[in-house]
Amino acid sequence: MSTTGATADPLAALGSLPGVAESVESVRKAVDRVYGHRVMRRRSNEITSEAALRGARGSAALSGADWGLEEVRRRTDFSGDEARAMGAALRLTAEAGQLLSIWRQSPLRVLARLHLVAAASQGDEVGRPRQAGESVDEPLIELPLPSAADVSGRLEGLSELIIAGGSAPALVTAAVVHGELLALRPFASHNGLVARTAERIVLVGSGLDPKSVCPAEVGHAELGRAAYLAALDGYVSGTAEGMAAWIAHCGKAVELGARESTAVCEALQRGAA
């Protein structure tokens, strides 16, 4: 989705696409169910911590590190390719909460910070968008790679939309941020992890999920990589149908994340967790 030269509030217009209003309402109801659970009134910090762990596991799974939840809990060594992806996902989840106040003023600064945290290494390509001629290590996404010049322009456009704010539902904004970052792959590595963390930041910072207990990453992983990539194709197509399908996919992911935390609440209430 090219955001440069767009109307004053192009994201709000996406809310009128067929099925999007229904997705927004369904997400709101799912989130309200979690926040209305009696366990949330007294043990919300535990739910937030568990959602962070499960969200990181889900995001890493989509980046090729599909570990069981108990393996994530017990593991302390995150060396090796798959383990590095898991370690990056855990670091990003922890970092996201520290960046909420910066996001609306300087989203590009936040994205650079997220990549630096994910990469956890020094080098000219870390913490900044890729430059002309630099390759991208994102093997699970095989879409054509936009040029560095296109990346720069579209990131600026996205940043301007976020800073300007608007009336678009949080789900729509989160889905566009997520989809645009996946489509652009602005960094040399870890773009999927960064994109899903940015989605989380929008959902939390917008007030839709202020305690971060509805991890969309869980839902994206549950829906599966094939469905994720198919929905992303719809976003990249730029058609009304494709955009609506991507937003609906992201909405379903949030609903599944909310369902996961509702199950955690139920388990805590029974004393089973």
Side-chain angles (χ1 to χ4, degrees):
M1 175 185 177
S2 177
T3 55
T4 54
T7 59
D9 193 2
L11 299 186
L14 297 177
S16 64
L17 292 177
V20 171
E22 290 82 355
S23 291
V24 169
E25 179 62 20
S26 186
V27 165
R28 168 53 65 189
K29 289 179 179 177
V31 173
D32 285 348
R33 280 193 292 272
V34 180
Y35 279 83
H37 199 285
R38 61 185 299 180
V39 170
M40 279 292 295
R41 292 196 291 272
R42 50 194 174 84
R43 302 180 72 174
S44 64
N45 288 341
E46 293 175 65
I47 307 303
T48 296
S49 295
E50 187 65 19
L53 183 70
R54 294 179 185 225
R57 193 215 72 81
S59 191
L62 288 169
S63 287
D66 193 359
W67 292 11
L69 189 59
E70 294 311 312
E71 174 73 2
V72 180
R73 290 189 202 283
R74 71 170 186 82
R75 190 74 170 261
T76 56
D77 177 15
F78 293 102
S79 59
D81 289 344
E82 282 195 13
R84 277 196 291 270
M86 181 61 69
L90 290 166
R91 290 192 301 274
L92 285 171
T93 299
E95 186 73 11
Q98 310 303 313
L99 300 173
L100 293 169
S101 63
I102 304 172
W103 174 255
R104 285 296 297 272
Q105 286 74 44
S106 184
L108 297 185
R109 178 182 165 195
V110 169
L111 293 174
R113 174 61 184 171
L114 291 176
H115 185 249
L116 183 64
V117 168
S121 62
Q122 301 298 316
D124 291 342
E125 76 285 357
V126 174
R128 62 153 176 80
R130 56 186 168 85
Q131 298 174 355
E134 292 181 339
S135 60
V136 173
D137 180 16
E138 201 72 41
L140 299 179
I141 299 177
E142 300 178 351
L143 294 168
L145 193 66
S147 70
D150 284 344
V151 167
S152 178
R154 287 172 64 172
L155 281 180
E156 285 293 340
L158 183 65
S159 175
E160 289 169 6
L161 287 175
I162 293 166
I163 292 169
S167 59
L171 172 63
V172 171
T173 303
V176 168
V177 168
H178 185 173
E180 191 72 355
L181 293 175
L182 286 179
L184 294 177
R185 281 144 293 159
F187 301 108
S189 62
H190 299 91
N191 290 285
L193 293 173
V194 169
R196 290 183 288 276
T197 305
E199 179 185 46
R200 173 187 286 263
I201 287 173
V202 174
L203 293 170
V204 174
S206 67
L208 175 64
D209 180 22
K211 294 183 182 295
S212 194
V213 296
C214 302
E217 306 96 320
V218 168
H220 286 303
E222 184 173 338
L223 291 167
R225 194 177 301 158
Y228 185 65
L229 297 178
L232 178 61
D233 283 343
Y235 177 87
V236 173
S237 76
T239 65
E241 182 181 7
M243 292 294 294
W246 170 250
I247 294 168
H249 184 88
C250 291
K252 184 62 175 176
V254 177
E255 289 183 55
L256 290 171
R259 187 181 71 178
E260 184 91 350
S261 286
T262 300
V264 172
C265 287
E266 293 292 332
L268 287 171
Q269 185 168 279
R270 295 192 306 269

